Amino acid sequence: MAAKYWEITKVQLRHNAWQHVLICVLLLAASPLVLGVKNLDAAQSTKVLETYVALIGIILFVPVFLPEQDRDLWDVVKVRYTKMTGVYLTRTVISLTVSALLTAGSIAVLAAGDCEIEPGKYFFGTMAEIIAFGGLGILAYAVTDNLIAGYMISLGYYVAGISAGYRYLKKLYPFGMLIDYETKYWILGAGILCMAWGILLFRRRR
């Protein structure tokens, strides 16, 4: 069983995920030029993590169903013994692992740059946001069967967070690291539910 999912992981990394991982690495590598990563106070550090680093959730999670857009590949996959729910979950875990590694790396860079930061607290808060963005994108993709819609709806939530703010989004405000940390638990739960619902919905539609 473990060998089967390890094979799925290798195939996903070799043929699909590496492209999105590369985009995320390049995006984060540009952060010193975009926002700076040295001598930041707490507000500036959280801005880097919440409005920049967390974008990798959209890039990594939304394309979880992308390989099935190839109808010939889908016809081959669906006759195999492996349940597609397990395939989707494996891909999701890959995205989650990469997100955690890149987030931890970003926090380490901030810490090395003498930025004011609480590593554990900021890691959890950023990952909650990543999962919220990614989960919403997965659900949107599953509902519309359209990758672009998944990206756009996730970005719409991002823009709503910036424009509407905490006053209107309340506990679903994505940038509440310093305003109301409880929002992180709410968006984490919402993100997990969206992911689960999206995977089940996409599997049933197929």
Side-chain angles (χ1 to χ4, degrees):
M1 181 67 71
K4 177 170 61 177
Y5 288 105
W6 174 241
E7 187 63 30
I8 293 171
T9 300
K10 290 192 294 183
V11 169
Q12 175 68 1
L13 290 172
R14 185 182 305 121
H15 297 289
N16 299 293
W18 73 268
Q19 301 167 352
H20 305 107
V21 173
L22 178 60
I23 292 172
C24 290
V25 170
L26 293 176
L27 177 70
L28 297 182
S31 59
L33 302 176
V34 178
L35 295 172
V37 292
K38 290 187 177 182
N39 303 311
L40 304 180
D41 60 23
Q44 293 169 324
S45 295
T46 56
K47 182 178 180 181
V48 172
L49 294 170
E50 291 187 302
T51 65
Y52 194 80
V53 175
L55 287 172
I56 66 176
I58 300 175
I59 299 171
L60 291 173
F61 283 93
V62 177
V64 69
F65 307 125
L66 184 59
E68 278 66 61
Q69 292 298 104
D70 184 334
R71 296 297 177 178
D72 293 333
L73 175 62
W74 174 251
D75 289 338
V76 172
V77 170
K78 69 181 181 180
V79 300
R80 293 183 176 177
Y81 176 73
T82 305
K83 292 183 178 181
M84 287 310 300
T85 302
V87 175
Y88 299 147
L89 287 174
T90 301
R91 293 175 186 167
T92 302
V93 169
I94 292 171
S95 296
L96 182 64
T97 302
V98 174
S99 296
L101 291 173
L102 292 178
T103 299
S106 298
I107 290 174
V109 169
L110 291 173
D114 293 323
C115 299
E116 188 176 340
I117 195 166
E118 297 180 57
K121 177 181 178 180
Y122 288 9
F123 176 81
F124 178 86
T126 304
M127 286 301 300
E129 188 180 346
I130 286 172
I131 291 170
F133 287 147
L136 182 59
I138 286 175
L139 179 59
Y141 190 168
V143 170
T144 63
D145 199 19
N146 187 292
L147 176 64
I148 302 303
Y151 283 131
M152 293 304 296
I153 291 175
S154 291
L155 286 172
Y157 177 42
Y158 177 89
V159 172
I162 293 176
S163 58
Y166 178 77
R167 178 182 177 185
Y168 294 99
L169 294 180
K170 302 297 183 182
K171 294 303 182 182
L172 293 180
Y173 180 57
F175 310 126
M177 193 88 78
L178 298 181
I179 298 174
D180 179 3
Y181 197 77
E182 188 177 332
T183 58
K184 296 302 181 181
Y185 299 102
W186 282 86
I187 64 173
L188 174 62
I192 292 172
L193 287 176
C194 285
M195 283 186 186
W197 189 11
I199 290 173
L200 292 174
L201 179 60
F202 194 84
R203 179 66 186 91
R204 179 170 296 182
R205 290 184 61 179
R206 293 296 176 128

